[in-house]
């Protein structure tokens, strides 16, 4: 046990517990695994919820989806109420903001029917640049 400040500073830092592994390695994997299936159940188009095939070009969409992804990664570990909290406090409000007429895709005319994959122009140049991260 250190007895002086110098002794305390000389000791190695306490090892932090191992951080849990991410279920999704990127916001793009998160989109494929969580967001896209949710969007399949919704009508997308000018008279319904708005979405853009190039959602990843929107700074707001990227910020919101990254926030939703990170919250998911933290809350999924709470087996009792984590996913419920995540849906209520994170996913639903951010998706309402993103898909609303006043959201970043308000002018988008990209469309899909219920049960179809939402419009998505995969950003191959971005995905290939990060292929070492998400294979």
């Amino acid at each position: 046990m250190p007895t002086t400040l110098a002794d305390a500073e000389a000791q190695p830092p306490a090892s932090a517990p191992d951080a849990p592994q991410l279920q999704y390695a990127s916001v793009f994997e998160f989109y494929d695994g969580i967001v896209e299936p949710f969007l399949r159940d919704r009508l997308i188009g000018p008279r319904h919820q708005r979405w853009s095939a190039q959602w990843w070009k929107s700074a707001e969409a990227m910020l919101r989806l990254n926030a939703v992804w990170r919250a998911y990664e933290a809350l999924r570990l709470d087996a009792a109420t984590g996913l419920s909290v995540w849906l209520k406090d994170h996913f639903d409000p951010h998706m309402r903001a993103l898909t609303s007429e006043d959201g970043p895709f308000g002018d988008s005319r990209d469309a899909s029917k219920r049960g179809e994959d939402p419009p998505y122009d995969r950003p191959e140049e971005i995905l290939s640049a990060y292929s070492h991260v998400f294979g």
Side-chain angles (χ1 to χ4, degrees):
M1 176 152 207
T3 57
T4 67
L5 179 58
D7 290 343
E9 288 175 343
Q11 289 199 337
S15 60
D18 290 335
Q21 291 286 44
L22 295 176
Q23 183 172 353
Y24 297 101
S26 71
V27 70
F28 297 101
E29 281 190 12
F30 177 74
Y31 175 85
D32 289 342
I34 299 288
V35 178
E36 187 176 63
F38 271 87
L39 288 175
R40 257 186 233 126
D41 292 338
R42 300 167 188 229
L43 294 170
I44 307 275
R47 295 175 53 196
H48 305 287
Q49 295 186 51
R50 310 296 175 90
W51 195 253
S52 171
Q54 297 184 352
W55 57 266
W56 43 271
K57 286 186 174 181
S58 164
E60 179 181 352
M62 286 299 288
L63 180 63
R64 286 182 179 278
L65 289 174
N66 269 288
V68 170
W69 166 44
R70 296 299 181 165
Y72 170 84
E73 292 291 358
L75 289 168
R76 73 182 174 85
L77 302 173
D78 175 355
T81 61
L83 289 178
S84 180
V85 168
W86 175 75
L87 286 165
K88 175 181 70 74
D89 293 344
H90 300 277
F91 187 81
D92 289 344
H94 284 292
M95 291 307 290
R96 272 193 300 275
L98 287 172
T99 62
S100 77
E101 185 176 322
D102 298 326
F105 310 132
D107 292 333
S108 176
R109 296 299 178 243
D110 297 336
S112 66
K113 295 178 182 171
R114 194 177 314 262
E116 294 179 350
D117 287 341
Y120 186 23
D121 294 338
R122 295 184 81 73
E124 297 303 333
E125 68 279 1
I126 294 172
L127 294 173
S128 64
Y130 290 98
S131 62
H132 67 284
V133 176
F134 33 87

